[in-house]
Amino acid sequence: MTGERDIRVLLRDMRPELRPGIFVFCTIPANESIPAMINPVLTFREQEGTTLVIPREEAEAAGLHYAFASRLITLTVHSALDAVGFLAAITARLAEAGIGVNAVSAFHHDHLFVPVDRLDEAMASLQELSAE
C-alpha cells in the first residue's frame, strides 16, 4: 500500500489518535546495550549516544535520567515517506499556539510527542487544522 502524498488529503484525513501513557526521552552511551527491562517506542543512534523514547515508568524503574515528559499523538493517515509539507503544516500550527513538539515519521504514520500539560491544546489545534 502506497502512502498518501497530497497535503490536502493528509491534513483532512490525519485523525489524531492519543496513545496511552506518558513518554520520556532518555539517552544512554553509544557503546551500551539497551537494558533488558526497557521496551522503547523509539530508538535513535546518534554520535553522542542512543536516544530512547520510553514510558516514564520504565525510565524510573531503570533509574534512567529523562527529559520532556510527553504524550504521544499518532496521525492515523498513511503518509508517504516523501510527502511534502505535511509535518511542516502541523508543526507550524502547533508553533502558532506556542506548543513544542517532537515529530517522528515512521513507515506508515507520523507521530507527535507533545508536552503533557499542552495535550488538550495540541489535540484541538490538530482537529481545527484537519477541519479547514
Side-chain angles (χ1 to χ4, degrees):
M1 182 167 134
T2 304
E4 181 61 56
R5 287 183 178 83
D6 185 320
I7 190 165
R8 293 170 303 214
V9 173
L10 288 166
L11 291 170
R12 182 193 69 213
D13 294 347
M14 67 177 160
R15 303 292 180 269
E17 184 176 281
L18 180 63
R19 297 258 315 258
I22 295 175
F23 295 88
V24 296
F25 287 67
C26 304
T27 187
I28 59 174
N31 60 348
E32 269 187 32
S33 296
I34 298 171
M37 80 245 338
I38 301 295
N39 186 22
V41 68
L42 172 70
T43 304
F44 197 92
R45 298 190 189 281
E46 299 178 282
Q47 183 176 344
E48 300 85 354
T50 301
T51 298
L52 306 172
V53 180
I54 60 178
R56 181 170 59 188
E57 57 272 7
E58 285 186 20
E60 291 172 347
L64 294 174
H65 174 74
Y66 61 84
F68 195 62
S70 55
R71 298 299 307 268
L72 173 52
I73 301 169
T74 296
L75 305 175
T76 61
V77 65
H78 182 184
S79 56
L81 289 167
D82 60 351
V84 176
F86 182 46
L87 281 178
I90 297 215
T91 57
R93 177 60 64 96
L94 294 174
E96 286 173 15
I99 301 170
V101 61
N102 282 285
V104 177
S105 296
F107 193 87
H108 296 284
H109 306 289
D110 295 288
H111 308 272
L112 309 173
F113 293 92
V114 299
V116 169
D117 62 341
R118 304 295 303 273
L119 173 65
D120 292 340
E121 294 167 85
M123 289 293 281
S125 291
L126 294 170
Q127 290 162 347
E128 289 169 8
L129 182 59
S130 181
E132 291 177 359

